[in-house]
Amino acid sequence: MAVKGSFNAFEMARTQFDRTADRIGLEQAARDLLRSPLREYHFLIPVRMDDGTSRVFQGFRCQHNDARGPCKGGIRFHPQETIDTVRALSMWMTWKCAVADLPLGGGKGGVVCDPHDLSAREQEQICRGWVRQIARNVGPVTDVPAPDVMTNTQHMLWMLDEYERIHGGHYPGLITGKPVGMGGSLGRKEATGYGAVYTLREALKELSLRPEDSTATMQGFGNVSQYAAKLFREMGGTVLCVSSWDQKDQTSYTFRKKEGIDVGRLTGITDRFGGIDKTKARALGYEVLGGEAWLSEEADILFPCALENQITGANVGSIHKRVKIIVEGANGPTTPEADEAIHERGIFMIPDFLANAGGVTCSYFEQVQSNMNYFWAEADVLARLDQKMTHAFSSVSEVARKRKLYMRDAAYIVAVTRVAQACRDRGWI
Amino acid sequence: MEKPPRPRHEPLGDLQERAKELNCLYEVERHLGRSDAPREVILQEVVEAIPGGFQHVQACRALLVCADEEYRSGPFEPTSWVLSAPLEIQGEPLGRLSVFYLREMPPEDVGPFLSEEERLVNIVANRLSAYLFYQKLRSLQRDIEEARKANLYAPKEDWRAPIRLLRESDRSVYSRIARRMLNHLTRVGVDEARRLLVGEGGPSGEESAGEKNVPSRCFEPDGAVLMSEKPFELASRHLSGAEILRRVERWLVEDKAGYFIKILNSPRSSLPELVDGIRRFHVLISGGAGLPDSTLKSLRVSLTQRLLTEQLDFVRTAKDFMEIEDFVDLTKRLIMPPESHGKVGGKGAGLLLAHKVLQRTLRKDRPIGEVKVPKTWYLASDGLFDFVEHNDLQDVIEQKYKEIDDVRNEYPSIVRLFKSASFTPRVISGLSLALDDLGEVPLIVRSSSLLEDRLGTAFSGKYKSLFLANQGTKEERLDALMDAIAEVYASIFGPDPIEYRRAHGLLEFDEEMGILIQEVVGTRVGRYFFPAFAGVAFSNNEFRWSPRIKREDGLVRIVAGLGTRAVDRVPDDYPILAVPGKPDLRANVSVDEIVRYAPRRIDLINRETRTLETADLDDLLVECGSAFPAMDLVFSVVQDDRLRKPIDLLADPEKDELVAAFQGLLADTPFLRHVRNIMTVLQEHLHTPVDVEFAHDGRDFYLLQCRPQSYVGDSAPAPIPKDIAPQDMIFSAHQYVSNGFVPDITHIVYVDLDGYGRLETREELLSVGRAVGRLNKMLPKRQFILMGPGRWGSRGDPKLGVSVTYADINNTSMLVEIARRKGSYVPDLSFGTHFFQDLVESRIRFLPLYPDNPGVVFNEAFLKKSPNLLPEVLPEFDFLSDTLRVIDVPASAEGRVLRVLQNAEIDEAVAFLIAPAEGPRGRPESGAGAEALRKPLQYWQWRMKMAERIAEEIDAARFGVQAMYVFGSTKNATAGPASDIDLLVHFRGDDCQRRELMSWLEGWSLCLAEMNYLRTGCRSERLLDVYLITDEDIANRTSYAVKIDAVTDAARELVLGKREKSGD
């Protein structure tokens, strides 16, 4: 359904929802309820700037749906937040938490400002000001924020501190993204990457394939890819090549080793932004190919873990015929056009909001540990992560199998169904 | 590598003689400087010291006759083998100094004496004369003192005694004092005094001030009058005895100074004489105490002009800040050739003055912390000529009149010539003293040319600065130092400075160049030597990433280690940027940004290899660990997504990720505040914005250089013409303007605001960014500008602005962000924050436009209505034609190009259409922009010729070439000195032929690059940009094939192979 007028993220999200709702024959009341956020808060944050003058900033928090549990979602600092984008993002959070079967709803919020124009002290004032305005409506059992665009650990800690001052107590469960030692959870670094590979493992089982016989190729070598590659290797799989962005040459390259990459060594020559040192890689015996080569490599599994819109209508044709599974480690790496082609070819797709749900799951674990004020060992975190991801995957794949659906569609259906059911169970509709 | 020892001009024997003469002088000086012995003893010792300076010491005797006294160096009878010099004061004979040989000796230059020995005798005689004179004056002064003290209880008349004494002992001084007395009396209205002064027939006061055009008669006071007692008799009738004595005393002091002032103001007096005078003047009269302020000021001015520089602005400020002691200190470290008339030069003078200004300004409410300067020795500016003359290198002065090609070719041999030449002994001994004083620390040898004095001359970096490790034996160190100085001298005759001077009409300006020998600020860390950090500070900030930053807030660029990486731009590394006026704002806020844009490499001196090196910070940290000076100020530990201060005991460079973010320095110390105050104080007192180089060794802050902030090349403020026709204007801006000059833009990539707002899907929005990225690679480098809505680089939400990374825009000349009013608000622009430092380092200019503001011109009609090249150039993005427009400016505007002028001083910028290479319209006085304009024709013409030659020479059959075309800036006649030649080759061969073809073309490319370098000084690796297209490309009109037979900007076909093809 083409919408007249300019691009609107919220309308796009609604369109997606409508399609799924149609498919499952959702009743009107549920549609009405889930098409829009339950609650939105808009407020003003006056701040005294360093030079003594005052400035007023706009803050907001959008809580889409909390039938399944407290809302979860990031806070962003952005110079021009349109409320539509925020609404769309809060909606996607609901679906994400639902598909991972976490007892959480979806939310999103932020402040209209640009940290490049603000000193550290001013940013602190904004964070505390935000909490002061919304302190009654967020909390460990109501709405749990997290870092997002242009916000970081420090901002979260200031917000936590302000909240605790207002409410008089320790409430580490208010917010996630805290550092280990200050209420953060172990295993966060590995969570997304490992999570993706847990779903992959289940997918392989379903297709009666063994990791030991499988090869994979990856786009991007950042946090997600590095840990995914590590776990995949540990399971016996082989990663043939990875691509990465070379900041100096301003282009991407694919690094290939037919016997399989050595994750540890390769990580050692990778910088913080996922850029692999080309010269050192060559010295270690890697072939250096063009940036697109990862896509056409002869392998069983594709792992796009870099940016969005990487597999498009134009290049979907170059995917090797051997590829059986695509695991979307990144957000939105496949365009709708390409999606259709992949569906037609019968490649098994693990969609982004299922495959990379490891991150939000670990966030949830942080919240749980914080509420208990007891923090698990890393092995425990990862074991629980495995269990949750496996379960999430099997629910979705079961629906896909039974109803002969594309995995992406099945995932949406599972998510929406769960949320709608929760609303019914509570007697809302 | 062994170097041959420097050739000395005299054999060893001569050196010994010089040494003896020198020792003799030292001894004489030492004795005369004693204040604890009576005069007779001193003179006797002097006389005994003299024979030691002569060739045949044993047979040598000295005889000093002065007044009625005689001093001998031993009993002897005078012989006929004598060298003698008179002692006299102001023409009056005092005595004679004679040196004898007792026996006949082998003949030399003057009888049996060397010419140097004759000089020695004269010098000693002069010295003795001066000594005696001062002795006399001093005793006079003492008498007057005593008389004055005694006078308190004595009757008035006692003042007569000292006056009489003066009259008896020194008639010329007495007559001068008498004249002063008469002048004084005249001034206070004693008529008789005036009559005495000018005689009876002299004019009355009113008459002499008449309007007649006839010179008034000259009346000299009668000499006899001045020598008589009359003036003081007259004085005693009008003034008290005490006052007379007081005035006389003061005048005596001034009279003494007069001797010195005479030397100072005499153009004939040499620098050594001046230096000598300063030292004596200072010691004897306690540095000018007792002299009137006007005299002192005039002294300071003269000293400044003689020793430092004649620049008026400088002198004006210097006279208020420099003290006599400062000059005395300076002379202790000044090396001068004999008879030198040189100066210290621009850099040296600038640094001295800046330091004084900072030291002497009251700073209660403007703390600057402690500011030091590194120990510096100076070699006077005519050292160059001394060097040239000594080695008969006068021909080299002509270099500046030769063709630039010749200059470039001959320069390496000039350098070799200079480095194998030698310095005069005087200079060598001075350098040796300098090395002893400085010690075995690394040094930097800097040029301090008189040309650099001139304000507004962007002379930075044209002359060399060289680092020396300064390790090893004294001989090795001295050799290295002389080598470096010779090389710096040679750099005057290099192609860059000569070209620059020629372009600015400065060829005839004196070549004089002083040399600064400065210790490098830093500490020893293992086998390296480097400062904790260093950088440059600017009074005016041309790179503002936020509208909260004003131009006057300034800018600081900081790096770890030597400041060379902050002063120059280095490829793929970044300095840390901070704004002194807004110390809490940062260009990079997220940890990712901070890490990406932090410096990764460091310049330092390797003491083992004795060279300047560039090292990786990571490697250095592993090697030296926490021995890095001021580590907690420079580095932060990256932990998850936070930066923390490194704690010495816990920091482990092997495991922790350390980044040189300077958080400690910027956030936890008053460094930025101090820098701000320093810049403000300097700007206030020097009356010009400045740029300052500094370094910090972990303990102290050092000032290294201070000069007027020069606007180099495209950061000069461009004059904004007022007479541009409205239809030629494309846009204007009145806010947040930085200096800039962007000439000859041939293409505009315009993202239409309305069109962009109408795009429906996210994919479409993102594809605009991708298209821009493709255009970035295709359009002629630096000849296009990007214009579009909102915040370029907004990957997260493309609705806010075009989604691009730096790679997608790095060839543009300028980025223009447009903010259109949306209902009740105007959106914020990013100011390039997403890739701010990349823009800064590659000099891509940024401009925000607010078309809805009053007075702002925005010629949307031109942008919307000009033909859009997008469908032709990137047919696969045809669907974006309403949104993305590619405008060929000459084609749409009758052959004209776009020029953008930006002036930050008045906060105005304009972009308008103009015929290419048209002169004065807004061309700045200096810089790369102007040079590009000056002769654009020759660049493209030469390239076109070369392209034609290549086509002529190519063996088309052998290489499978069907046709060749040239396009781009060569074809458009807009090539600059560094432009590539863009060639399109229609290729129909196999892989083997392709390899051979590319090889052959690469050969050409390398040669052409070399030729281009010789002609223009612009270095590039290759000059050819070759694109191969196949039959298929042409059939489908893909890739560059579109350029053939294109409607606009078509490639031009070249005629192949006029020569005979070999076989077929």
Side-chain angles (χ1 to χ4, degrees):
Chain A
M1 196 171 92
V3 182
K4 287 272 180 302
S6 61
F7 169 68
N8 185 321
F10 186 41
E11 289 307 318
M12 209 185 85
R14 278 178 153 179
T15 310
Q16 242 174 9
F17 168 76
D18 289 337
R19 218 181 303 136
T20 310
D22 287 340
R23 268 217 158 106
I24 58 178
L26 204 55
E27 68 269 35
Q28 191 57 43
R31 283 181 197 243
D32 291 338
L33 190 61
L34 298 177
R35 270 185 116 238
S36 304
L38 264 182
R39 277 165 241 116
E40 269 179 30
Y41 299 93
H42 296 253
F43 44 89
L44 299 175
I45 308 173
V47 170
R48 195 162 285 284
M49 310 297 273
D50 289 342
D51 59 4
T53 58
S54 291
R55 235 181 96 177
V56 176
F57 294 88
Q58 289 175 356
F60 44 86
R61 185 71 179 170
C62 178
Q63 295 169 343
H64 174 251
N65 185 292
D66 55 1
R68 285 174 54 84
C71 294
K72 185 101 191 49
I75 303 177
R76 46 174 56 184
F77 284 167
H78 211 287
Q80 259 163 256
E81 217 30 86
T82 58
I83 192 60
D84 280 334
T85 312
V86 176
R87 286 175 184 145
L89 291 167
S90 67
M91 228 170 140
W92 281 318
M93 274 313 282
T94 306
W95 310 140
K96 194 159 187 174
C97 291
V99 89
D101 203 13
L102 303 174
L104 296 169
K108 203 76 167 181
V111 180
V112 180
C113 69
D114 184 346
H116 291 102
D117 292 340
L118 302 166
S119 72
R121 205 181 305 117
E122 289 161 352
Q123 290 176 43
E124 183 178 352
Q125 293 307 309
I126 289 176
C127 289
R128 292 181 183 274
W130 189 89
V131 171
R132 264 180 250 136
Q133 294 298 328
I134 199 71
R136 273 175 284 257
N137 306 103
V138 299
V141 300
T142 345
D143 182 357
V144 180
D148 196 53
V149 171
M150 284 276 118
T151 54
N152 56 32
T153 313
Q154 181 63 77
H155 298 123
M156 299 300 109
L157 290 174
W158 283 327
M159 287 180 175
L160 176 62
D161 185 70
E162 192 68 16
Y163 184 88
E164 288 177 348
R165 255 201 243 175
I166 293 172
H167 287 270
H170 277 279
Y171 300 96
L174 162 75
I175 211 160
T176 61
K178 307 185 292 294
V180 171
M182 285 287 285
S185 171
L186 291 166
R188 200 168 97 207
K189 284 200 303 274
E190 298 90 325
T192 316
Y194 278 20
V197 174
Y198 292 138
T199 61
L200 171 64
R201 183 192 61 204
E202 299 307 306
L204 286 169
K205 278 190 202 152
E206 202 161 300
L207 299 178
S208 308
L209 295 166
R210 298 184 333 137
E212 296 85 355
D213 304 328
S214 311
T215 54
T217 135
M218 294 180 148
Q219 186 192 37
F221 202 57
N223 170 268
V224 176
S225 301
Q226 285 176 20
Y227 285 103
K230 179 163 174 277
L231 186 59
F232 186 58
R233 187 91 194 79
E234 277 168 29
M235 286 197 311
T238 313
V239 178
L240 294 176
C241 64
V242 298
S243 83
S244 93
W245 176 260
D246 189 312
Q247 183 66 12
K248 185 157 153 257
D249 296 350
Q250 293 285 326
T251 181
S252 49
Y253 296 109
T254 305
F255 298 88
R256 182 171 74 179
K257 230 189 209 178
K258 288 283 188 196
E259 328 80 79
I261 66 164
D262 180 344
V263 183
R265 298 285 288 279
L266 202 55
T267 308
I269 59 171
T270 308
D271 70 23
R272 174 194 179 81
F273 306 103
I276 300 176
D277 186 318
K278 195 172 72 187
T279 328
K280 290 190 182 149
R282 250 201 210 105
L284 289 175
Y286 288 86
E287 297 172 67
V288 179
L289 309 166
E292 290 280 299
W294 73 278
L295 189 60
S296 49
E297 183 69 20
E298 181 179 347
D300 303 298
I301 305 158
L302 289 186
F303 259 105
C305 297
L307 300 162
E308 58 200 351
N309 285 9
Q310 295 300 299
I311 308 181
T312 64
N315 62 14
V316 68
S318 56
I319 297 179
H320 201 275
K321 54 181 168 10
R322 183 169 153 169
V323 170
K324 303 175 188 64
I325 307 178
I326 296 182
V327 187
E328 289 189 335
N331 280 325
T334 317
T335 65
E337 245 183 357
D339 219 15
E340 269 180 50
I342 292 171
H343 186 187
E344 246 156 76
R345 268 177 63 170
I347 298 177
F348 193 91
M349 159 73 75
I350 307 181
D352 48 9
F353 67 127
L354 173 59
N356 63 29
V360 72
T361 306
C362 197
S363 229
Y364 160 63
F365 289 161
E366 178 181 338
Q367 189 203 352
V368 168
Q369 293 168 77
S370 294
N371 287 338
M372 282 165 50
N373 208 21
Y374 176 79
F375 292 87
W376 309 328
E378 190 170 3
D380 291 330
V381 174
L382 295 175
R384 288 176 159 118
L385 177 69
D386 188 342
Q387 186 197 37
K388 271 232 140 327
M389 293 301 292
T390 307
H391 167 72
F393 177 87
S394 57
S395 322
V396 172
S397 77
E398 194 180 321
V399 169
R401 242 179 306 125
K402 288 217 177 107
R403 304 298 153 102
K404 307 234 187 311
L405 291 168
Y406 190 42
M407 280 287 282
R408 200 189 297 281
D409 300 332
Y412 265 115
I413 289 173
V414 166
V416 171
T417 310
R418 279 187 179 142
V419 178
Q421 189 55 46
C423 297
R424 275 182 225 116
D425 286 342
R426 284 179 174 283
W428 291 355
I429 46 172
Chain B
M1 197 173 79
E2 282 291 325
K3 265 176 56 172
R6 296 192 83 79
R8 313 277 183 224
H9 270 230
E10 296 114 349
L12 196 59
D14 282 359
L15 265 182
Q16 285 176 331
E17 288 312 309
R18 296 296 88 71
K20 278 156 71 178
E21 287 151 21
L22 204 55
N23 280 329
C24 172
L25 277 174
Y26 287 155
E27 283 296 298
V28 168
E29 196 60 47
R30 188 169 65 83
H31 292 304
L32 292 179
R34 288 170 62 183
S35 50
D36 54 338
R39 175 180 126 134
E40 296 76 21
V41 172
I42 290 179
L43 286 177
Q44 179 61 33
E45 309 233 308
V46 166
V47 134
E48 281 170 14
I50 289 174
F54 284 75
Q55 236 184 13
H56 311 284
V57 179
Q58 301 305 323
C60 182
R61 295 287 183 272
L63 168 65
L64 172 64
V65 178
C66 85
D68 322 311
E69 300 148 356
E70 234 188 47
Y71 301 87
R72 292 167 187 257
S73 66
F76 71 98
E77 285 301 313
T79 66
S80 55
W81 303 292
V82 61
L83 209 49
S84 154
L87 269 62
E88 56 186 29
I89 299 292
Q90 294 156 333
E92 279 195 44
L94 274 182
R96 181 165 277 280
L97 172 67
S98 313
V99 178
F100 300 86
Y101 275 138
L102 297 179
R103 297 185 293 282
E104 181 162 11
M105 294 295 169
E108 300 283 353
D109 306 312
V110 183
F113 297 99
L114 301 168
S115 55
E116 286 86 355
E117 287 167 347
E118 182 182 44
R119 228 177 29 208
L120 179 65
V121 170
N122 286 330
I123 290 175
V124 176
N126 281 339
R127 193 67 191 83
L128 283 169
S129 309
Y131 172 75
L132 292 170
F133 177 50
Y134 282 110
Q135 287 296 313
K136 200 181 347 182
L137 284 184
R138 220 190 315 151
S139 74
L140 262 177
Q141 191 188 29
R142 256 178 297 189
D143 292 340
I144 293 177
E145 261 306 316
E146 275 166 18
R148 191 151 68 84
K149 281 193 209 124
N151 209 34
L152 289 173
Y153 304 105
K156 285 207 292 202
E157 272 60 39
D158 263 29
W159 60 267
R160 295 177 194 275
I163 300 292
R164 202 167 297 139
L165 188 59
L166 178 63
R167 184 158 157 246
E168 236 110 280
S169 54
D170 198 323
R171 298 155 56 98
S172 46
V173 175
Y174 177 80
S175 66
R176 286 203 294 278
I177 300 294
R179 171 187 272 195
R180 290 233 202 183
M181 180 54 83
L182 288 176
N183 279 332
H184 173 70
L185 290 172
T186 312
R187 261 204 308 275
V188 298
V190 178
D191 223 32
E192 206 186 321
R194 193 177 50 74
R195 274 201 301 271
L196 273 179
L197 204 47
V198 298
E200 292 300 321
S204 65
E206 306 92 69
E207 220 186 273
S208 48
E211 295 279 342
K212 292 185 284 222
N213 294 349
V214 173
S216 47
R217 280 175 298 164
C218 178
F219 289 93
E220 261 300 304
D222 191 353
V225 167
L226 291 180
M227 274 316 297
S228 70
E229 294 189 346
K230 283 217 193 92
F232 287 98
E233 286 305 317
L234 187 56
S236 67
R237 281 188 260 140
H238 295 272
L239 303 170
S240 73
E243 181 157 359
I244 292 178
L245 277 182
R246 193 172 53 79
R247 286 194 182 272
V248 166
E249 190 183 284
R250 209 178 73 185
W251 290 330
L252 276 176
V253 171
E254 286 178 19
D255 196 68
K256 274 190 255 190
Y259 167 75
F260 173 59
I261 292 174
K262 196 168 80 158
I263 298 183
L264 193 50
N265 287 330
S266 161
R268 280 195 307 280
S269 59
S270 70
L271 211 47
E273 285 175 348
L274 186 64
V275 168
D276 196 43
I278 293 177
R279 287 208 205 122
R280 281 188 281 158
F281 171 66
H282 180 237
V283 162
L284 290 173
I285 318 197
S286 334
L291 289 173
D293 274 343
S294 54
T295 312
L296 287 174
K297 205 173 257 190
S298 153
L299 272 174
R300 291 202 293 268
V301 168
S302 301
L303 282 171
T304 306
Q305 285 171 329
R306 278 305 303 271
L307 281 177
L308 297 181
T309 166
E310 291 187 339
Q311 256 269 306
L312 281 179
D313 293 311
F314 185 96
V315 175
R316 197 172 55 212
T317 310
K319 71 175 186 291
D320 295 326
F321 286 95
M322 302 286 293
E323 300 284 324
I324 309 281
E325 293 93 67
D326 300 324
F327 290 104
V328 176
D329 287 335
L330 170 62
T331 58
K332 288 192 189 136
R333 297 220 176 98
L334 181 59
I335 303 170
M336 306 157 276
E339 312 304 318
S340 162
H341 278 76
K343 301 192 210 304
V344 156
K347 237 177 235 167
L351 182 59
L352 273 170
L353 182 59
H355 191 219
K356 289 297 152 214
V357 167
L358 289 175
Q359 275 184 333
R360 306 221 156 109
T361 321
L362 253 194
R363 302 168 340 229
K364 275 206 300 270
D365 54 343
R366 286 197 292 194
I368 62 170
E370 200 188 324
V371 177
K372 295 187 172 178
V373 289
K375 207 189 263 191
T376 312
W377 274 72
Y378 307 86
L379 177 51
S381 54
D382 56 355
L384 172 65
F385 290 129
D386 185 60
F387 179 78
V388 163
E389 234 178 70
H390 184 69
N391 294 289
D392 285 322
L393 292 170
Q394 287 85 347
D395 293 346
V396 93
I397 309 290
E398 309 173 349
Q399 282 302 103
K400 59 191 180 193
Y401 293 119
K402 295 192 182 164
E403 281 300 316
I404 205 68
D405 278 353
D406 291 334
V407 175
R408 207 181 293 283
N409 279 328
E410 291 174 24
Y411 179 54
S413 45
I414 290 184
V415 174
R416 272 197 300 275
L417 197 59
F418 271 53
K419 281 163 86 106
S420 57
S422 59
F423 288 82
T424 52
R426 179 73 158 261
V427 170
I428 293 179
S429 64
L431 291 177
S432 179
L433 273 174
L435 284 181
D436 288 336
D437 184 42
L438 291 165
E440 259 193 82
V441 288
L443 300 175
I444 178 169
V445 174
R446 290 179 186 257
S447 67
S448 182
S449 134
L450 298 189
L451 253 176
E452 286 170 300
D453 291 10
R454 286 167 58 100
L455 276 176
T457 308
F459 228 66
S460 52
K462 300 255 187 265
Y463 293 148
K464 278 200 183 161
S465 292
L466 296 172
F467 281 94
L468 292 173
N470 195 29
Q471 307 274 307
T473 65
K474 179 71 180 295
E475 172 127 11
E476 288 171 331
R477 291 162 58 210
L478 189 55
D479 272 349
L481 179 59
M482 293 195 284
D483 202 60
I485 297 177
E487 200 173 322
V488 175
Y489 278 156
S491 71
I492 298 182
F493 305 102
D496 281 343
I498 288 184
E499 175 128 57
Y500 186 89
R501 285 164 67 189
R502 194 176 287 169
H504 290 85
L506 293 170
L507 274 184
E508 276 69 43
F509 195 91
D510 246 335
E511 252 99 3
E512 288 195 15
M513 178 198 272
I515 298 282
L516 298 183
I517 305 166
Q518 209 176 50
E519 60 174 10
V520 174
V521 172
T523 36
R524 283 195 190 173
V525 180
R527 56 193 171 118
Y528 300 111
F529 184 94
F530 57 90
F533 62 89
V536 202
F538 300 96
S539 290
N540 284 337
N541 185 340
E542 302 298 331
F543 300 104
R544 314 195 280 280
W545 66 80
S546 164
R548 287 177 85 184
I549 301 176
K550 300 202 190 359
R551 196 159 168 254
E552 307 80 66
D553 287 333
L555 179 69
V556 184
R557 290 164 66 95
I558 312 177
V559 291
L562 292 170
T564 38
R565 296 183 82 74
V567 172
D568 307 317
R569 287 188 161 87
V570 285
D572 6 291
D573 206 7
Y574 307 92
I576 294 288
L577 297 179
V579 175
K582 293 274 184 311
D584 298 318
L585 287 185
R586 299 271 174 274
N588 301 306
V589 286
S590 74
V591 171
D592 275 356
E593 286 175 340
I594 293 176
V595 172
R596 182 190 288 292
Y597 292 118
R600 276 204 204 317
R601 315 191 77 202
I602 176 174
D603 278 356
L604 33 66
I605 296 181
N606 184 327
R607 291 168 47 237
E608 282 172 8
T609 63
R610 301 186 191 171
T611 49
L612 182 65
E613 266 180 22
T614 307
D616 275 333
L617 268 176
D618 288 337
D619 296 337
L620 181 67
L621 282 172
V622 169
E623 190 177 326
C624 72
S626 48
F628 195 102
M631 190 166 176
D632 56 338
L633 294 183
V634 174
F635 292 98
S636 304
V637 178
V638 181
Q639 236 175 42
D640 304 321
D641 71 336
R642 285 193 300 170
L643 292 183
R644 323 194 77 165
K645 260 181 131 162
I647 302 171
D648 249 6
L649 298 171
L650 301 180
D652 182 356
E654 303 239 2
K655 290 218 288 292
D656 295 328
E657 187 183 344
L658 286 169
V659 70
F662 291 91
Q663 299 277 59
L665 178 70
L666 297 175
D668 299 336
T669 68
F671 174 76
L672 276 182
R673 250 202 336 273
H674 286 174
V675 169
R676 167 98 168 132
N677 291 333
I678 288 173
M679 304 302 282
T680 315
V681 166
L682 287 176
Q683 183 166 357
E684 205 178 288
H685 290 283
L686 300 177
H687 307 291
T688 166
V690 291
D691 75 57
V692 163
E693 274 181 51
F694 59 87
H696 197 293
D697 64 358
R699 280 185 310 271
D700 298 305
F701 177 86
Y702 288 83
L703 197 63
L704 299 181
Q705 189 166 302
C706 172
R707 51 170 188 233
Q709 184 169 3
S710 61
Y711 293 106
V712 186
D714 50 9
S715 57
I720 306 288
K722 294 279 174 228
D723 57 345
I724 307 171
Q727 64 268 26
D728 292 339
M729 283 274 277
I730 303 300
F731 61 82
S732 74
H734 305 297
Q735 280 176 295
Y736 310 118
V737 176
S738 296
N739 282 335
F741 171 78
V742 186
D744 298 0
I745 297 297
T746 53
H747 291 82
I748 300 176
V749 175
Y750 174 60
V751 178
D752 187 283
L753 282 64
D754 301 320
Y756 194 75
R758 277 197 296 268
L759 289 177
E760 291 177 356
T761 68
R762 204 174 140 84
E763 282 68 45
E764 286 176 324
L765 289 171
L766 293 173
S767 58
V768 174
R770 277 204 313 279
V772 169
R774 295 279 300 280
L775 289 169
N776 181 56
K777 291 192 174 41
M778 295 179 66
L779 291 172
K781 289 197 189 36
R782 295 295 166 135
Q783 286 188 267
F784 65 95
I785 64 173
L786 296 175
M787 297 176 66
R791 312 169 61 92
W792 285 72
S794 306
R795 291 205 76 101
D797 192 345
K799 220 158 147 57
L800 295 179
V802 182
S803 170
V804 287
T805 61
Y806 175 62
D808 298 320
I809 61 161
N810 61 353
N811 289 326
T812 184
S813 239
M814 191 167 176
L815 185 59
V816 179
E817 286 186 347
I818 309 173
R820 260 271 158 76
R821 188 165 282 276
K822 281 199 179 116
S824 59
Y825 79 107
V826 179
D828 287 329
L829 298 174
S830 76
F831 281 68
T833 343
H834 296 280
F835 20 63
F836 178 71
Q837 286 203 240
D838 288 312
L839 296 182
V840 167
E841 299 304 314
S842 47
R843 293 192 174 161
I844 295 176
R845 314 230 66 94
F846 171 83
L847 185 67
L849 274 193
Y850 298 90
D852 300 312
N853 282 6
V856 172
V857 170
F858 185 56
N859 193 340
E860 209 167 0
F862 177 83
L863 295 168
K864 275 189 184 316
K865 300 224 176 70
S866 299
N868 186 356
L869 286 179
L870 183 68
E872 281 176 53
V873 172
L874 287 178
E876 62 269 36
F877 288 98
D878 195 15
F879 61 99
L880 290 174
S881 304
D882 276 340
T883 304
L884 183 59
R885 310 186 67 83
V886 181
I887 301 170
D888 180 331
V889 179
S892 315
E894 295 119 20
R896 289 176 299 171
V897 292
L898 184 70
R899 183 173 299 170
V900 185
L901 301 174
Q902 294 173 270
N903 191 318
E905 318 260 339
I906 53 179
D907 229 0
E908 269 199 48
V910 289
F912 56 96
L913 298 169
I914 192 169
E918 191 176 297
R921 268 296 197 67
R923 181 186 64 179
E925 292 300 298
S926 58
E931 281 153 25
L933 274 186
R934 228 176 284 280
K935 285 188 198 145
L937 298 174
Q938 67 176 40
Y939 298 131
W940 80 263
Q941 274 176 340
W942 178 74
R943 280 163 175 72
M944 183 57 90
K945 209 155 49 149
M946 289 297 115
E948 287 168 353
R949 288 287 286 125
I950 295 176
E952 266 176 33
E953 294 289 330
I954 198 166
D955 188 341
R958 173 176 163 213
F959 294 126
V961 169
Q962 186 63 23
M964 280 179 74
Y965 306 81
V966 65
F967 66 103
S969 60
T970 306
K971 189 228 137 215
N972 289 333
T974 53
S979 297
D980 290 345
I981 304 178
D982 297 300
L983 286 181
L984 204 53
V985 179
H986 181 182
F987 177 72
R988 255 191 201 162
D990 56 38
D991 262 346
C992 180
Q993 281 175 308
R994 173 195 228 125
R995 272 199 299 275
E996 289 194 8
L997 170 65
M998 295 312 274
S999 257
W1000 189 83
L1001 285 174
E1002 180 161 343
W1004 268 97
S1005 186
L1006 292 168
C1007 292
L1008 288 173
E1010 184 66 26
M1011 287 174 70
N1012 186 50
Y1013 166 66
L1014 287 175
R1015 298 175 106 243
T1016 67
C1018 290
R1019 265 221 182 280
S1020 46
E1021 278 182 19
R1022 357 191 101 57
L1023 209 66
L1024 290 184
D1025 227 348
V1026 178
Y1027 302 90
L1028 293 185
I1029 49 173
T1030 60
D1031 286 337
E1032 211 183 304
D1033 289 325
I1034 294 191
N1036 298 338
R1037 295 187 63 72
T1038 49
S1039 175
Y1040 283 93
V1042 295
K1043 290 215 162 270
I1044 308 175
D1045 298 335
V1047 175
T1048 61
D1049 197 26
R1052 181 173 129 173
E1053 185 161 0
L1054 297 165
V1055 180
L1056 292 178
K1058 278 209 191 113
R1059 299 159 121 258
E1060 284 291 305
K1061 295 191 203 139
S1062 57
D1064 216 342

